[in-house]
Amino acid sequence: MDQEERTRRAAQARSKAEELAGKGVTGVAVTWVDTSGITRVKAVPLARLPHAAAWGIGASPVFDAFLLDDSIVQGRFAGGPVGDLRLHPDLDRLAPLTALPGWAWAPADRFDQGGRPHPLDARHLLRREVRRLAADGFTVRAAFEVEWAASVGEGDDFTPACAGPAYGMTRLTERADYLRDIMEAVTAAGVTVVQIHPEYAAGQYEISVDVDTPVGAADTAVLVRETIRAVSLNHGLRSSFSPKVLAGGVGNGGHVHVSLWRDDVNLMSGGQGPYGLTSEGEAFTAGVLSHLPALLAVGAPSVASYLRLVPSHWAGAFACWGLENREAALRFVTGAAGERHHAANLEVKCFDQAANPYLALAALLATAHDGLTTGATLPPPVDADPATLDGPAPLPSSLEEALPPFTADPVLARAFGEAVIDTIATVRRGEIALFAGATPEEIAARIRWRH
Ligand code: GLU
Ligand code: MG
């Protein structure tokens, strides 16, 4: 970041601050997501935004080595008390948080004090994968689905905020003001809501939003979640985004939809391959499929993730793909006849919201890009519940099992580099140790309110 860029950012911040002041904003929350998927924050008064935009806000690099319970592990590349980074708010994403009156939000890019991107910054890593695809003429559109379970009261126990049946209109009626406030606050933050509905599990709801660039989609995942959290508290509720809210129940997924485009043409449709996939769309999908076990340490990164990732829970616990197959880790979606040219996409179901959305998408795109580079092809699709078949392999069933494929994956190693791989693995080992011997009930209770 040179002087000219700092000057440009300060000027942009001054004009944005003026606009936000008109909306009653006095503080800006600047967030980044750490290795264990927790959104961390530093906030500045609105008047300080131009300085923060130009020079960043100080923050320790130690957060790369934080576990979800706020303990810290010492890795080879992260974890020490020494050093400082600068959080630069991305002003193009600055948005008012109407559920937190007086506050606005912006995602941060983390730079070192010399103005160079921090090598472990997940937003930079994602941007790098996007650039690599762009160099080959490709763009990707993405969106995260946000599932959450709403609980009554302030205690740590989970008491469902609604009693109606799964997907039942009763659940909407019971919490009509709450759901409307969520839709309005998400919309006011500049995100297009596509759908909101009661989900399967106790107290569970889901919101879907419009597709965006990969970085935009990951930002939106953070913004939507923080908005839901704020609206929930305003209604005397707590929202859990944990992969497994109750040990016996259905979990919260963090499904991510991706589609591959070139020159504004959706390559997931209109081709000669299965269900209309083009050869590039197929290679993109096959790249992800062949690396699924390795991707889990990034996309399903907590001990609780493996309580969720079990058969018959629509979590996608098998390494296979299929058309509209909710038990396949990769659900291919064509959309309705007539709109397939823009609707067709790949839904990665095995990911959850303990994942850092930037890292999860970066890893996904790296493997998809490898599929494109090597011209990967897909095995036959699976059109039944994979649990009833001999073929499809179950995905790793614990974080311990997910780590070796991750640390051994050459594509992720090439994309991320040693410092990122080692730091992720160190944090995962730290959380495995943290929960050693814990029962599913204890794991669910200790992780329930963390993400
Ligand atoms: N809640 C399920 C999960 O854990 C997903 C349900 C659905 O298919 O939307 O991923
Ligand atoms: Mg759902």
Side-chain angles (χ1 to χ4, degrees), residues 19-185:
E19 200 183 303
L20 285 174
K23 294 181 174 165
V25 168
T26 54
V28 183
V30 180
T31 63
W32 75 103
V33 183
D34 72 14
T35 315
S36 66
I38 308 265
T39 298
R40 311 273 176 188
V41 68
K42 288 272 180 112
V44 291
L46 189 63
R48 185 77 178 169
L49 189 63
H51 185 273
W55 298 101
I57 306 162
S60 166
V62 75
F63 295 102
D64 294 324
F66 262 50
L67 306 186
L68 54 66
D69 72 336
D70 297 339
S71 58
I72 299 167
V73 281
Q74 180 62 56
R76 281 195 292 141
F77 299 92
V82 178
D84 206 41
L85 297 172
R86 309 304 299 178
L87 306 173
H88 286 262
D90 184 340
L91 298 173
D92 292 330
R93 218 29 233 271
L94 190 61
L97 296 176
T98 54
L100 293 177
W103 286 96
W105 162 88
D109 289 308
R110 295 183 300 160
F111 288 80
D112 67 18
Q113 291 180 334
R116 287 172 296 267
H118 174 48
L120 297 176
D121 184 67
R123 209 163 177 265
H124 283 304
L125 293 174
L126 176 53
R127 215 182 265 119
R128 194 165 72 193
E129 292 313 314
V130 170
R131 272 201 305 269
R132 284 177 176 154
L133 280 158
D136 289 341
F138 297 111
T139 55
V140 168
R141 298 186 188 176
F144 285 88
E145 290 177 9
V146 175
E147 293 186 331
W148 79 99
S151 176
V152 179
E154 289 173 2
D156 283 347
D157 287 345
F158 181 80
T159 311
C162 52
Y167 309 97
M169 178 64 190
T170 307
R171 281 201 197 177
L172 187 149
T173 306
E174 288 174 277
R175 291 290 173 187
D177 291 351
Y178 170 58
L179 296 176
R180 189 207 52 237
D181 283 356
I182 288 173
M183 276 199 294
E184 288 180 3

Side-chain angles (χ1 to χ4, degrees), residues 363-402:
L364 199 67
L365 295 190
T367 59
H369 195 185
D370 185 64
L372 283 163
T373 310
T374 57
T377 54
L378 282 166
V382 170
D383 61 2
D385 183 346
T388 65
L389 305 174
D390 261 351
L395 285 169
S397 62
S398 67
L399 191 52
E400 285 98 317
E401 253 184 57

Side-chain angles (χ1 to χ4, degrees), residues 147 199 204 206 250-253 255 308 313-315 326 349:
E147 293 186 331
E199 253 290 345
Q204 196 180 33
E206 171 176 334
V250 165
N252 288 316
H255 310 172
R308 164 186 171 260
H313 285 61
W314 289 4
R326 288 180 170 77
K349 287 188 72 82

